[in-house]
């Protein structure tokens, strides 16, 4: 008699989710006075020269947050597969999470570089580095993070893996994240970025607490 082996669901999900959320909050606290994207190059340069250490710490936190996010994507992919999700949702979750982590890492490195600008740096260089860090950690991250949210929400809804309200909330956040792409064309859409940037991690905490490890087996008479 052979025993059927259940698919492995992977390591606990809550630990990397909480680490990602904590690092995200820490980054916001450290960088709360960063000049807005529409600030002049001179204003950015003056802030950089006065707060170089703060900017480097923020870059470090941003880069560090990419590590648990990549782990979250991998664990979610494995969990969905173990739950029998063979549709593209699991692969979309992994791809979106890995790409989002990559954009965060790039944004952190750019911010760290900005914090090391020499005294004779030009305002144009300061503005360019700030724009690159904003574009990668803002629209770049949010749009890819939206793929992760959608990749979990759709099977969570269709297969009944998550409460319907939680699945729909994830889909709404994913839609907002996709709309945030317009920030690159119309800066006014930038208000959508923090909705996903901070609402997404909180949503992941709830998912980590509610996503099951196994699905009940159906028995046939």
């Amino acid at each position: 008699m052979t025993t059927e082996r259940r698919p492995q669901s992977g390591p606990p999900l809550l630990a990397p989710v909480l680490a990602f959320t904590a690092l995200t909050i820490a980054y916001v606290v450290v960088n709360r006075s960063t000049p807005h994207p529409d600030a002049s190059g001179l204003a950015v340069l003056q802030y950089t020269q006065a707060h170089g250490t703060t900017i480097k710490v923020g870059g470090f936190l941003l880069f560090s947050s990419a590590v648990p996010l990549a782990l979250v994507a991998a664990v979610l992919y494995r969990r969905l597969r173990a739950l029998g999700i063979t549709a593209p949702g699991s692969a979309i979750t992994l791809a979106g999470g890995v790409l989002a982590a990559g954009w965060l890492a790039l944004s952190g490195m750019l911010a760290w570089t900005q914090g090391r600008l020499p005294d004779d740096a030009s305002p144009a260089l300061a503005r360019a580095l700030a724009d690159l860090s904003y574009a990668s950690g803002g629209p770049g991250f949010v749009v890819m993070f939206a793929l992760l949210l959608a990749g979990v929400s759709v099977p969570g809804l269709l297969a009944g893996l998550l409460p319907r309200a939680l699945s729909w909330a994830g889909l709404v956040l994913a839609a907002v994240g996709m709309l945030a792409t317009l920030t690159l064309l119309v800066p006014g859409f930038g208000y959508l970025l923090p909705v996903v940037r901070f609402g997404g991690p909180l949503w992941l905490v709830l998912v980590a607490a509610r996503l099951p490890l196994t699905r009940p087996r159906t028995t046939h008479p």
Side-chain angles (χ1 to χ4, degrees), residues 40-116:
S40 67
L42 180 59
V44 173
L45 180 60
Q46 290 173 343
Y47 177 85
T48 299
Q49 291 174 340
H51 302 87
T53 300
T54 299
I55 293 174
K56 286 186 286 187
V57 171
F60 167 78
L61 292 171
L62 197 59
F63 177 82
S64 298
S65 68
V67 178
L69 179 57
L71 294 177
V72 168
V75 175
L76 280 173
Y77 169 78
R78 194 67 197 91
R79 180 77 61 84
L80 291 174
R81 297 288 294 181
L83 291 170
I85 305 302
T86 56
S90 58
I92 292 173
T93 299
L94 180 61
V98 170
L99 288 171
W103 281 118
L104 275 187
L106 177 60
S107 181
M109 288 298 189
L110 289 168
W112 182 84
T113 303
Q114 183 184 356
R116 288 171 49 84

